[in-house]
Amino acid sequence: PAPARRALNAVVSVLAPPRIPGDGKMALNLSHSQNGGIIITNGESFLKECKDVELSFSDMTAKSDFFKGTKKGTLYLTPYRMIFLSKGKDPMQSFMMPFYLVKGCSIEQPVFSANYIKGTIRAEPGGGWEGQASFKLVFNSGGAIEFGQVMFKVAQQASRGTPVHNTAYGYEPVADMAFGFAPANGPYPSN
């Protein structure tokens, strides 16, 4: 994990990936739909999904009630960012972390508890919060190492302008749709 961690820090510190089309914000509560799905942009795809993940924050430079406590939910990986979708009625329904705003990311493997990914996220103006915070993503059902390895690889490729797309995972953005699973009949309406 150490070489990968150094690679991600170099990637994030030196090069910013291309902006996500139609996006531009590290967002609090802007990455979910009203029916509980995740919103992604055209041309973006889901590369990995991990359920039973806990998200917590510390060392906030600007305090906010949205960041209090531990959030439980699902973590998604796209070619440009991580998106956490909370389960239940937490004030933080979704939280998006574009790679270019993440620093000091590492995969931790404690002896007596679940593996986790930690790092620091910086807010972007207009993203729903200010400052920066340390984050911790605990993978209670496993998958931290695999998720982290894919994330490091994807972040590095995104910084070079060659994002990874994975249409075999089961998710694929469809023209004129911004989120969710591709409809069974494809992008064409059934008559």
Side-chain angles (χ1 to χ4, degrees), residues 115-179:
N115 293 344
Y116 62 91
I117 296 173
K118 70 176 185 174
T120 303
I121 181 74
R122 193 178 68 231
E124 191 165 48
W129 68 290
E130 295 178 2
Q132 71 177 28
S134 295
F135 67 88
K136 183 176 177 180
L137 293 159
V138 178
F139 293 72
N140 292 311
S141 296
I145 294 171
E146 183 182 355
F147 188 97
Q149 289 172 339
V150 174
M151 178 190 66
F152 289 140
K153 179 182 175 186
V154 168
Q156 204 168 33
Q157 288 179 307
S159 73
R160 293 184 195 137
T162 57
V164 175
H165 293 282
N166 181 3
T167 58
Y169 185 63
Y171 300 96
E172 181 177 358
V174 179
D176 300 320
M177 292 188 69
F179 59 88

